[in-house]
Amino acid sequence: DAGVTQSPTHLIKTRGQQVTLRCSPKSGHDTVSWYQQALGQGPQFIFQYYEEEERQRGNFPDRFSGHQFPNYSSELNVNALLLGDSALYLCASSWGQGLGNTGELFFGEGSRLTVL
Amino acid sequence: DAKTTQPNSMESNEEEPVHLPCNHSTISGTDYIHWYRQLPSQGPEYVIHGLTSNVNNRMASLAIAEDRKSSTLILHRATLRDAAVYYCILRGYSGGSNYKLTFGKGTLLTVNP
């Protein structure tokens, strides 16, 4: 059973460019959330998707946007890249939005973005 | 979001128990206490969670203070594979699931052979 898979694993972009990161949730999961982890810091919540809609959002600008597809996979898009966007981007999946799910989130290994 | 406080780092010897503390004095009645760990070059991994009672699973035990203002993650016999950053997180619920985990800097656990 594959866990959460993310692509690409590493990528390099220049300031002002746009990037798309992809995530496939664990089998049976319908909810995807995205986190940004700067070097030496804990992950920070960006947003969460369920039923193809953004349900919760952290303190990130509109340059960060996302999408969820009918098969529950998700994309994270970042426009007008800044040097400060260099980070590890993590995708986490779970199930049961709205059901008071208290269980665990399953994280992927992340996509390492470097902005030059 | 309610805040947690953890030591920056701790050290242990292999095969010995490890007690990782976490303070959360502003915890609310609906906050669950979650622990995740992050091994080098990997995404965070769920360890355990609880609300009021102590909890055990195959990975660890979670001891929660009676007033819920602190908790301790217990690894019964540390192995080299347990070397990681451990995050104590409060996960609130208000009528629905909450996927916004607020991570701090966590505790870097070093395990000596």
Side-chain angles (χ1 to χ4, degrees), chain A residues 35 37 41-43 45 48 56 90 94-105 107-108, chain B residues 32 34 36 38 41-44 46 49 87 91 93 95-101 103-105:
Chain A
Y35 288 78
Q37 185 173 25
Q41 305 295 317
F45 176 79
Q48 174 232 335
Q56 279 185 287
L90 295 159
S94 187
W95 66 272
Q97 162 70 25
L99 298 180
N101 180 18
T102 64
E104 60 189 285
L105 300 186
F107 283 83
Chain B
Y32 281 73
H34 284 247
Y36 281 74
Q38 189 170 19
S41 302
Q42 294 190 25
Y46 168 83
H49 78 281
Y87 297 100
R91 187 174 175 188
Y93 294 87
S97 295
N98 178 6
Y99 292 86
K100 180 184 176 184
L101 302 185
F103 288 80
K105 288 192 175 182

Side-chain angles (χ1 to χ4, degrees), chain A residues 102-103, chain B residues 4 20-24 27-36 46-55 62-73 87-93 101:
Chain A
T102 64
Chain B
T4 62
L20 297 164
C22 180
N23 288 317
H24 29 77
I27 190 171
S28 74
T30 56
D31 285 340
Y32 281 73
I33 302 158
H34 284 247
W35 285 81
Y36 281 74
Y46 168 83
V47 177
I48 199 166
H49 78 281
L51 183 61
T52 56
S53 304
N54 294 345
V55 183
L62 177 59
I64 301 172
E66 196 170 332
D67 63 6
R68 301 208 327 125
K69 294 188 176 186
S70 66
S71 61
T72 302
L73 178 70
Y87 297 100
C88 170
I89 299 161
L90 300 184
R91 187 174 175 188
Y93 294 87
L101 302 185

Side-chain angles (χ1 to χ4, degrees), chain A residues 30-35 44-60 64-68 72 74-76 90-99 101 105, chain B residues 91 96-101:
Chain A
D30 58 6
T31 304
V32 171
S33 49
W34 287 90
Y35 288 78
Q44 288 194 62
F45 176 79
I46 303 175
F47 43 52
Q48 174 232 335
Y49 277 83
Y50 172 73
E51 290 187 332
E52 302 179 47
E53 288 188 19
E54 183 183 297
R55 302 290 180 155
Q56 279 185 287
R57 189 176 183 94
N59 188 24
F60 279 80
F64 289 77
S65 64
H67 189 78
Q68 186 179 34
Y72 309 122
S74 177
E75 287 182 350
L76 164 65
L90 295 159
C91 172
S93 76
S94 187
W95 66 272
Q97 162 70 25
L99 298 180
N101 180 18
L105 300 186
Chain B
R91 187 174 175 188
S97 295
N98 178 6
Y99 292 86
K100 180 184 176 184
L101 302 185

